[in-house]
Amino acid sequence: MRTVSWSFRLIYIVNIILLLSFTLLCLYPFYNMLIYSFSDPMEAVKGVTLLPRSFTFGNYAAVCKIATIPRAALVSVFRTVVGSLATLLCCSFFAYLVSKPKMYLRKLIYRGTIVTMYISGGLIPYFLTVNAYGLRNTMLVYFVPGLISAFNIVLIKTYIEQLPASLEESAMIDGAGIMKCWWRIVFPLSKPITATILVFTMIGQWNSWFDALIFITKPELYPLQYILYKYLREASSISKIIAQLNSDVSITTVSLTPETVRMTITAIITIPILLVYPFMQRYFVKGIMMGAIKG
Amino acid sequence: MQKRGRVMGGPPIYKKKFDTYGFKLLIMALPFFALVIMFCYVPIAGWGLAFFDYKPGMHFDKLNFVGFKYFALIGVYWKEILNALVNTLALSAMSLILAPLPAIFAIMLSAVRSPWLKKSIQSTVTLPNFISWIIVYAICSNILAFDGIFNKFLAMLGVKVTITTTILGNKDLSWYFMTALGVWKGLGWGSIVYLAAIAGIDKELYEAAEIDGANPFGCIRHITIPGLMPTFFVLFLLSIGSFLSVGFEQFLVFSNSLTSSKLEVLDVFTYRVGLGTQDYSFATALGILRSVVSIAMLFSMNQLSKKVRGVSVI
């Protein structure tokens, strides 16, 4: 190997330092949020930097006593699990159907679906349409409008088309119908692509809040993200709750501040993502490279 | 059923006869296509609302046809719309200028020799992509508050902070701050595609260049960068094509009474007109114009790409 001169060594080191600084910049805000949520609220006001001040679980215990929070967590989990699975199954089955050249009107249906990637009615017509279907203030609004996503259809269809045809053929000869062929053969075989789509849909569901902002007015249907949005934007709603919690000594061992409540909810939302994050790693490259595939 | 040896992907053999199999497929697909029609095409048909006086709670049979009245309203509100347009263009332009950053980051990262370090950095910088803007806002508002650790850190460095307002409430900084946040959130994620492209470059090219006496910078300049250009070109065109849809959620979350004049992009403006003041017809008219311009931009970028590189980007 060629000897590298000292100037290149220096540049190499500077490069590493720059990269590590940015890495730290990406990591520290999360760390700060976590240690803030584990600090005693009165101490945390002085600022937390590297370690929690007077470590306590009291914030979490108190935040879970806010009536809306456990319920909102359930809503979030529901939309993440049920919503994503429903989307995945619908997209996979529909993609399987349109991958069959024998289907009548196939071109019309496939192209009609793909066009929706580029053209949309805009916010207000969409809002009025969904309201007209009576989905306002129901859990259905969280996932039904997105059940068929054109982008997912393209990805799954492209994947299905390159599966070996012989497997399905032999099943058909043995008398398997369309549903059975999909469920027993195509769906399991397309696991690499569907797993990736599932991961991304789940994260999308966990993170969404805008649909709750425009369609949901019943507090019992709010997801966690939207509760946090409300607490961030409406100072009055949070101070009322805190006054209530702090007055009741049986509930809280700490005396809460708005900032601590916000950071604790933020942590409650972020921790699940942080926990599954290492396992999602292998889907990333796949996920972004999928964008390059065209139908 | 189906014993007529059919090859998947191949042409159907009995073409003229009515095909029960093909018909079954169609019947099964219809409910799903109905969803597409219900949630994508019906809203497009809703564009018609822009030509009627529609007020919330109104019956559709009592609509008054008003022609282009609501499009003409744009002339009346031109000041606010112009402001929204300027904000949109400025914020888009800033992120377009910074578009090479993910590629640069990928080149920097690919120079790291230890695979372990490389992997760790990559995993960490991708993390912000997977959290919502609300979480970003929550964390920012804590760190950047008056008594937050950012100001304490500045004070520690000896910077005299004459606090009149925080960064979140500083309207002169908000464009730059929003762009920086966009970079923070998207850089790691954006660089993955470039890292994959770098991994796809033939290693022999580098070996040959080294034998020819190229230094590491020569290799980057003459091999890596040309190797990344096609990817960069496609992504750049796509982002020009979607310049009207700059981070709606981001600005909706981050704008407050102090900064809203700088952060009100077209989408936020439409949202405010439509769902805030419930002026549905006017907001629909705005939405139509936005959609038309977006599609025109996307297709002209596609044409440009076809001309320059002979490849379509959409």
Side-chain angles (χ1 to χ4, degrees):
Chain A
M1 194 176 148
R2 243 156 42 90
T3 46
V4 186
S5 68
W6 62 270
S7 62
F8 285 122
R9 254 169 231 267
L10 185 69
I11 291 169
Y12 185 75
I13 291 167
V14 171
N15 182 32
I16 299 255
I17 290 173
L18 284 175
L19 288 170
L20 285 180
S21 330
F22 185 68
T23 310
L24 199 65
L25 194 65
C26 285
L27 201 59
Y28 183 73
F30 294 103
Y31 179 70
N32 185 266
M33 174 258 298
L34 284 177
I35 57 175
Y36 201 103
S37 70
F38 283 115
S39 296
D40 186 84
M42 287 300 131
E43 292 282 315
V45 176
K46 294 176 201 156
V48 283
T49 43
L50 289 176
L51 287 171
R53 284 173 184 257
S54 333
F55 184 90
T56 172
F57 283 110
N59 303 329
Y60 286 86
V63 163
C64 290
K65 294 270 166 52
I66 302 176
T68 47
I69 299 290
R71 172 115 203 153
L74 276 181
V75 172
S76 282
V77 170
F78 170 84
R79 67 178 294 173
T80 305
V81 175
V82 177
S84 318
L85 283 177
T87 305
L88 183 74
L89 291 176
C90 286
C91 285
S92 171
F93 187 56
F94 186 56
Y96 169 70
L97 294 175
V98 290
S99 75
K100 297 276 165 221
K102 273 203 167 181
M103 183 176 153
Y104 281 103
L105 301 178
R106 173 173 168 273
K107 274 194 178 150
L108 175 83
I109 288 183
Y110 184 58
R111 287 189 187 154
T113 309
I114 299 313
V115 167
T116 61
M117 273 203 283
Y118 304 109
I119 182 164
S120 78
L123 180 64
I124 299 303
Y126 176 73
F127 171 76
L128 294 174
T129 313
V130 174
N131 276 351
Y133 297 146
L135 293 182
R136 193 185 170 83
N137 276 329
T138 62
M139 295 278 256
L140 292 177
V141 83
Y142 289 142
F143 63 92
V144 171
L147 274 181
I148 298 293
S149 134
F151 187 62
N152 292 348
I153 301 291
V154 174
L155 299 176
I156 302 176
K157 177 178 166 275
T158 316
Y159 193 88
I160 289 177
E161 277 171 345
Q162 47 101 43
L163 290 175
S166 48
L167 284 171
E168 208 186 327
E169 268 165 31
S170 57
M172 276 185 155
I173 292 167
D174 290 344
I178 295 171
M179 284 287 266
K180 209 167 193 178
C181 275
W182 167 70
W183 180 244
R184 287 291 179 77
I185 297 166
V186 176
F187 188 65
L189 282 178
S190 51
K191 210 181 111 196
I193 192 88
T194 46
T196 309
I197 289 176
L198 186 67
V199 166
F200 282 83
T201 317
M202 287 180 94
I203 291 177
Q205 282 284 3
W206 182 257
N207 278 338
S208 48
W209 54 276
F210 185 68
D211 41 14
L213 171 69
I214 62 175
F215 292 119
I216 305 290
T217 48
K218 280 188 190 160
E220 65 264 32
L221 295 181
Y222 289 159
L224 276 178
Q225 297 267 356
Y226 184 61
I227 298 260
L228 180 61
Y229 175 78
K230 273 183 110 64
Y231 284 176
L232 284 164
R233 303 300 299 240
E234 297 163 15
S236 56
S237 67
I238 196 169
S239 51
K240 216 188 284 168
I241 287 164
I242 287 170
Q244 212 173 28
L245 285 177
N246 282 345
S247 64
D248 194 341
V249 192
S250 65
I251 293 178
T252 55
T253 50
V254 289
S255 78
L256 295 166
T257 59
E259 212 39 64
T260 298
V261 172
R262 287 187 199 125
M263 280 302 107
T264 309
I265 300 175
T266 309
I268 290 174
I269 295 174
T270 317
I271 287 170
I273 294 186
L274 294 178
L275 287 180
V276 299
Y277 190 70
F279 305 101
M280 295 168 0
Q281 290 290 331
R282 60 203 201 91
Y283 296 110
F284 288 167
V285 179
K286 258 192 223 158
I288 195 147
M289 293 317 285
M290 284 190 318
I293 305 168
K294 270 180 294 181
Chain B
M1 53 165 283
Q2 283 308 306
K3 290 192 180 168
R4 302 164 279 179
R6 195 182 65 84
V7 184
M8 246 170 69
I13 292 164
Y14 294 98
K15 217 175 181 176
K16 278 182 191 151
K17 220 176 121 194
F18 178 77
D19 182 11
T20 5
Y21 178 66
F23 188 67
K24 264 191 191 164
L25 287 169
L26 172 66
I27 296 295
M28 285 180 161
L30 279 182
F32 299 101
F33 193 58
L35 280 174
V36 176
I37 292 177
M38 277 170 68
F39 292 104
C40 300
Y41 286 97
V42 173
I44 295 173
W47 281 7
L49 277 185
F51 302 95
F52 293 91
D53 247 331
Y54 178 72
K55 294 274 154 2
M58 213 175 189
H59 248 283
F60 285 97
D61 52 346
K62 285 189 190 133
L63 290 178
N64 268 338
F65 184 76
V66 291
F68 286 91
K69 176 185 157 191
Y70 285 106
F71 290 90
L73 257 190
I74 291 170
V76 179
Y77 288 100
W78 67 273
K79 256 190 180 161
E80 290 183 44
I81 292 170
L82 189 68
N83 180 46
L85 202 60
V86 167
N87 289 339
T88 311
L89 290 177
L91 286 158
S92 293
M94 281 187 191
S95 53
L96 282 178
I97 291 168
L98 296 177
L101 273 183
I104 294 170
F105 188 81
I107 293 173
M108 284 168 71
L109 192 56
S110 66
V112 176
R113 284 190 213 108
S114 143
W116 175 84
L117 185 63
K118 202 183 203 170
K119 189 96 191 112
S120 318
I121 294 178
Q122 195 198 329
S123 309
T124 316
V125 296
T126 324
L127 181 60
N129 184 61
F130 293 96
I131 54 161
S132 68
W133 278 109
I134 294 190
I135 301 290
V136 178
Y137 178 69
I139 294 176
C140 278
S141 63
N142 184 30
I143 290 179
L144 301 175
F146 283 122
D147 52 354
I149 60 159
F150 182 71
N151 280 347
K152 289 203 171 109
F153 179 68
L154 285 185
M156 206 177 74
L157 288 181
V159 182
K160 269 230 156 145
V161 208
T162 46
I163 309 171
T164 49
T165 171
T166 62
I167 294 180
L168 288 173
N170 189 332
K171 127 179 162 190
D172 300 322
L173 285 179
S174 52
W175 281 355
Y176 307 102
F177 180 58
M178 286 300 114
T179 310
L181 271 184
V183 168
W184 178 78
K185 198 167 184 290
L187 185 62
W189 178 245
S191 69
I192 288 184
V193 67
Y194 292 109
L195 280 170
I198 291 174
I201 296 174
D202 195 346
K203 292 282 166 294
E204 283 181 24
L205 288 175
Y206 290 103
E207 282 161 23
E210 218 167 279
I211 291 165
D212 287 347
N215 63 32
F217 278 103
C219 286
I220 289 174
R221 202 176 139 218
H222 296 288
I223 301 170
T224 314
I225 292 180
L228 293 183
M229 273 322 263
T231 313
F232 177 74
F233 185 73
V234 169
L235 294 179
F236 192 67
L237 286 188
L238 278 180
S239 49
I240 295 179
S242 58
F243 80 103
L244 277 182
S245 41
V246 279
F248 169 63
E249 287 196 1
Q250 180 185 359
F251 305 131
L252 194 62
V253 171
F254 272 90
S255 74
N256 51 43
S257 53
L258 295 168
T259 56
S260 63
S261 63
K262 287 282 179 182
L263 293 183
E264 191 167 82
V265 292
L266 274 182
D267 283 351
V268 177
F269 180 72
T270 313
Y271 166 79
R272 203 166 55 84
V273 168
L275 296 176
T277 56
Q278 300 207 318
D279 204 341
Y280 290 156
S281 297
F282 183 37
T284 306
L286 287 170
I288 294 175
L289 289 181
R290 180 203 178 283
S291 292
V292 170
V293 174
S294 295
I295 292 166
M297 281 299 288
L298 192 66
F299 279 91
S300 46
M301 284 305 131
N302 195 33
Q303 285 300 319
L304 185 67
S305 165
K306 273 186 189 161
K307 256 209 184 116
V308 179
R309 291 181 53 241
V311 189
S312 102
V313 291
I314 55 172

